[in-house]
Amino acid sequence: MFILIGLVFLLIYGVLVFYIGWSGWRWMRPVVSARFKLFYIVIISFLAISLILGRVFGSISILSMIGSYWLAVFSLLLLLLPIAHLSIWLSRLTPLPRHRVQKWVGFITLATLLLLLGYGSYQAYNPVVREYNLHINKKVDGLDQLKIVMASDMHFGLLSGENHAKRMVSTINELQPDLVLYPGDIIDDDLDAYRNRDFVKILSDVKAKYGVFASLGNHDKYDGPIQNIIDTLKQSNMSVLYDENITINDQFTLVGRKDRTEKDRNPLSSLMAGIDKSKPLILLEHQPYDLDLANEQGIDLMVSGHTHRGQIAPAHLITKAIYENDWGYLKKGNMHSVVTSGYGFWGPPIRLGSRSEIVQINITFGDNNK
């Protein structure tokens, strides 16, 4: 079954690549030699498989880089080319020469592609701080408010590199948080890429009164024991909650779940067993599913990532359809859900319709019934 699905996917992908290649050749054909055609086919074929080659030959960084940018170009051209072809077709209703229309539509499409790539890179590499103010209706001795700073989906590795990490650390420290939370996808499927660069040292510079806590996401994986990832992240002064809970200063409790892709993860109810629910309860859940369940279990705040808010529009329409809260803030009963679009990116360093962000959550405590 999986083989059949894979073959269908490859067939569809091949047809779409052919569509892109054919469109580009039709535009270039009047001004290039016919001998260029073979070279052009080789280039398009290489780009089409570059993402796969980058995964197979992970030690060759340039392949991963080319594959990531190809994914962005591929996605954007699938949006732009139908508009270009429709414009050329409609031009038949006018006296304009078709070859000239085709030439200028091609230039406009290329210029739009480059502008979108530039703007998307800016959106990816220039994060904003989004702020949410919320109240938890529980009285906490010695604690009236709590400033949480959250970053998720950093995907630190080749393209979400050291400079991006330094920017995140600097921004977090400027916000002077009481607590820092990383709900998953800290690395990008490659622990060696994280270890062999300066990420361990860079992230260890984050400062917070109550410390830095993380859960793992679906991309916090590699071909080895998961404990190796946890131990590496601990070297960055993170406490990893892997289906675990911890009470901080006898004032509030953090619960961190394994990602839902982990077959052996425990039910939330078992993680909540024995927890004092009179204290504020904060859940790190990488994928923002089961908000009803978290509310039923007495969670006060659930922080998540994973969705990237689609990363490249119009994929945000898909994430919005899948998740009850795919980005931003939602209150479910007595529970607050905050989902971030993420600090990094998966694949291409491009964001359109979303933006790289760090989230600041300002919590006040107290019994409103009094």
Side-chain angles (χ1 to χ4, degrees):
M1 182 63 181
F2 289 109
I3 295 176
L4 179 60
I5 294 173
L7 290 175
V8 171
F9 173 80
L10 288 175
L11 177 61
I12 294 173
Y13 178 64
V15 170
L16 294 176
V17 170
F18 176 82
Y19 170 65
I20 290 173
W22 171 78
S23 300
W25 178 251
R26 286 195 64 190
W27 177 57
M28 292 188 298
R29 186 171 53 187
V31 294
V32 298
S33 165
R35 289 178 294 180
F36 180 76
K37 186 175 184 179
L38 178 60
F39 177 73
Y40 176 76
I41 292 173
V42 170
I43 291 296
I44 292 295
S45 300
F46 170 73
L47 291 174
I49 63 173
S50 58
L51 191 62
I52 299 172
L53 292 175
R55 293 290 176 177
V56 174
F57 303 100
S59 60
I60 306 177
S61 300
I62 189 65
L63 286 176
S64 296
M65 190 175 298
I66 292 172
S68 294
Y69 277 100
W70 160 253
L71 185 59
V73 171
F74 175 79
S75 302
L76 293 174
L77 284 178
L78 289 182
L79 298 176
L80 295 174
L81 287 177
I83 298 173
H85 287 134
L86 178 62
S87 300
I88 294 172
W89 184 80
L90 290 175
S91 72
R92 296 178 178 179
L93 305 177
T94 73
L96 295 172
R98 186 180 176 187
H99 69 279
R100 182 165 295 182
V101 171
Q102 183 169 312
K103 171 184 174 182
W104 283 105
V105 167
F107 277 122
I108 292 170
T109 301
L110 179 60
T112 302
L113 173 65
L114 295 176
L115 285 172
L116 289 175
L117 288 173
Y119 178 68
S121 293
Y122 176 84
Q123 293 281 92
Y125 283 115
N126 291 273
V128 295
V129 176
R130 301 199 190 277
E131 189 171 352
Y132 301 96
N133 299 305
L134 54 92
H135 180 80
I136 292 178
N137 194 30
K138 291 180 179 178
K139 183 175 175 56
V140 183
D141 290 337
L143 189 64
D144 296 323
Q145 55 190 16
L146 183 70
K147 183 193 288 187
I148 297 174
V149 172
M150 171 178 63
S152 179
D153 300 89
M154 293 81 97
H155 291 271
F156 287 135
L158 177 63
L159 293 173
S160 182
E162 289 99 325
N163 288 336
H164 203 45
K166 290 177 182 177
R167 190 179 299 116
M168 185 189 81
V169 172
S170 176
T171 301
I172 290 176
N173 287 339
E174 287 174 5
L175 294 173
Q176 298 181 322
D178 298 317
L179 179 69
V180 172
L181 302 178
Y182 300 143
D185 280 2
I186 300 162
I187 70 173
D188 193 32
D189 296 302
D190 189 348
L191 183 60
D192 290 335
Y194 184 91
R195 284 171 166 169
N196 295 337
R197 292 175 172 83
D198 291 331
F199 293 116
V200 170
K201 181 179 181 301
I202 292 168
L203 296 184
S204 65
D205 289 334
V206 172
K207 302 294 189 295
K209 178 180 178 180
Y210 295 110
V212 180
F213 295 85
S215 61
L216 301 185
N218 56 302
H219 285 280
D220 292 313
K221 303 268 176 39
Y222 87 121
D223 296 329
I226 201 73
Q227 189 62 42
N228 289 354
I229 293 178
I230 294 173
D231 291 342
T232 300
L233 295 179
K234 284 181 177 179
Q235 294 174 28
S236 295
N237 295 330
M238 298 179 208
S239 297
V240 179
L241 300 177
Y242 191 58
D243 261 3
E244 299 170 88
N245 63 72
I246 183 172
T247 299
I248 308 296
N249 205 29
D250 200 33
Q251 293 176 316
F252 59 90
T253 298
L254 302 176
V255 181
R257 298 197 74 184
K258 294 181 179 180
D259 185 70
R260 65 185 281 117
T261 58
E262 304 245 21
K263 296 179 180 179
D264 64 340
R265 84 166 182 166
N266 292 313
L268 181 58
S269 57
S270 69
L271 297 181
M272 301 296 292
I275 289 180
D276 183 356
K277 295 186 179 181
S278 68
K279 294 181 173 66
L281 305 176
I282 300 172
L283 172 65
L284 288 79
E285 172 76 270
H286 178 62
Q287 301 189 40
Y289 286 101
D290 300 327
L291 271 60
D292 285 317
L293 178 60
N295 178 50
E296 291 170 5
Q297 290 296 322
I299 296 297
D300 296 295
L301 170 63
M302 174 174 160
V303 294
S304 307
H306 183 67
T307 71
H308 293 218
R309 204 193 180 193
Q311 187 164 320
I312 298 178
H316 65 289
L317 300 177
I318 299 174
T319 60
K320 192 172 183 178
I322 293 174
Y323 302 98
E324 185 176 5
N325 181 22
D326 77 314
W327 175 69
Y329 171 79
L330 177 70
K331 189 171 184 183
K332 189 77 174 180
N334 293 320
M335 187 198 70
H336 306 274
S337 164
V338 177
V339 180
T340 175
S341 62
Y343 183 79
F345 33 79
W346 182 85
I350 305 294
R351 281 185 172 271
L352 294 170
S354 69
R355 186 162 183 178
S356 174
E357 67 179 24
I358 291 173
V359 171
Q360 177 178 323
I361 305 172
N362 303 311
I363 304 176
T364 57
F365 301 102
D367 190 349
N368 282 343
N369 296 322
K370 292 184 177 181

